[in-house]
Amino acid sequence: MDRIVVTGGGALSGQIPIAGAKNACLTLMPATLLSDEPLTLTNAPRLSDIRTMTTLLQSLGAEVTALNGGRVLALSSHGLNNHTADYDIVRKMRASILVLGPMLARDGRAIVSLPGGCAIGARPVDLHLKALEAMGADLELRDGYVHAEAKGGLKGAVVDFPVVSVGATENALMAATLAKGTTVLKNAAREPEIVDLAHCLRRMGAQIEGEGTSTITIQGVDRLNGATHPVVTDRIELGTYMLAPAIAGGEVELLGGRMELVAAFAEKLDAAGVSVEQTAAGLKVTRKNGRVSAVDVRTEPFPGFPTDLQAQMMALLCTATGLSVLEETIFENRFMHAPELMRMGAKIDVHGGTATVTGVERLKGAPVMATDLRASVSLILAGLAAEGETVVNRVYHLDRGYERVEEKLGNVGAKIERVREHD
Ligand code: EPZ
């Protein structure tokens, strides 16, 4: 398996282009299942998770063609001939559950494997299922698969989510576009990826109001048409690379970055003493001399501080002056990076969902390993500020969510390389 080797030291300078959002693309792709006309997604990221979703959709009989080196995805579901999402694919990527709502809405039936737990927590899908049941679906759990049926189609309903869930909101939103009557999603997720999905569905002819707020109202239509849609900028890739000059020092402009995508995160950087400025081309992040200051962070659904930037922020705070408290409220097991950062000399105490970080003057390079993609990239960021060499093993996770990390960071002056290995 490939490894990434980072040699710390040295300020960064230059520009990093930010790709389309993985988590938006992973919900936009299944939207093809709602229509028999073509859906074209531009600004798609080139990631292994996108290839996994491609394989899943193709296994259902959809056509997915990557054009322009993978930047454009041409999708068509006119020849859908299988309604079973197999365990072998679903177990690789939890976002596979997002085919359930659209398939059920269009054809009245779907069989989808349950994804199971993952490295960051139990992550049930009960809210997805309850929303579809509220819309009249009959669900049965057999042999690890959800067998879903909606004879005569789905019906509009009021769905009040007890917990804010990005995926459940996406599944319900897609399903509701073809349900009979009006659906109201209350306590809906407000993430930019949900807004992007609503924009795409509207281009396909759906009637949706309120995306970006916690109440989304959908008026069902008989059919959806084809569309072309650009994938929104990846706010997590953006935030991750904003941390590179924050940790290593220097000034880097993140091309395509917009403040409203990362406002809560940028506020914390500002409090830590890192400057973030909107430019015509993106966001410019600058850290000159001295260490950053400690700040407290609590993860929350959007517009709060994103859980997907918690690991990377922790890497920064490991070198701050003073004591920072990080509280993870979204996932129960998302501090797996802490022991690895500690191997690099960080001082971290984890108690349940809270990590207390006492900043040190300098981290030290070490061989490290991570079990999810945000944890992996946090170790690369830490490596930028560490003395000596950091070797990040199991890069497989990284490739799920970051395209060519070594190239993007190398272009702004980081000493980073990928060592290819064939197991
Ligand atoms: C999405 O996961 C993202 N994945 C995650 O990105 C992200 O961390 C998460 O949202 C939160 O922002 C994709 O978009 C593909 P949730 P999702 O449903 O939709 C609980 C990354 O690194 N819950 O909003 O699965 C759940 O266990 C990743 O790119 C239920 O209890 O997250 C969690 O505690 C990892 N029942 C909370 O809700 C359900 O049916 C929020 O999860 C669904 C969720």
Side-chain angles (χ1 to χ4, degrees), residues 22-23 26 94-95 98 120 122-128 163-168 170 191 235 307-308 330-332 334 372-374:
K22 165 182 85 86
N23 288 345
L26 287 177
R94 299 180 45 84
L98 295 171
I120 60 176
R123 299 184 75 185
V125 291
D126 55 319
L127 302 175
H128 301 237
V163 174
V164 177
S165 161
V166 174
E170 291 166 344
E191 270 66 3
R235 65 196 166 94
T307 173
D308 291 347
I330 309 291
F331 294 111
E332 65 267 31
R334 213 177 193 183
D372 84 90
L373 78 134
R374 310 303 172 191

Side-chain angles (χ1 to χ4, degrees), residues 2-55:
D2 291 0
R3 289 170 290 159
I4 299 271
V5 182
V6 189
T7 309
L12 307 180
S13 111
Q15 298 179 320
I16 299 179
I18 304 301
K22 165 182 85 86
N23 288 345
C25 202
L26 287 177
T27 185
L28 293 165
M29 291 172 76
T32 182
L33 299 169
L34 290 163
S35 170
D36 55 12
E37 291 183 20
L39 173 66
T40 303
L41 300 174
T42 61
N43 195 36
R46 294 174 285 197
L47 302 168
S48 64
D49 268 9
I50 301 301
R51 289 192 286 278
T52 305
M53 183 56 87
T54 299
T55 305

Side-chain angles (χ1 to χ4, degrees), residues 126-127 130 160-164 186-187:
D126 55 319
L127 302 175
K130 278 188 189 131
D160 197 350
F161 293 107
V163 174
V164 177
K186 295 186 174 173
N187 200 24

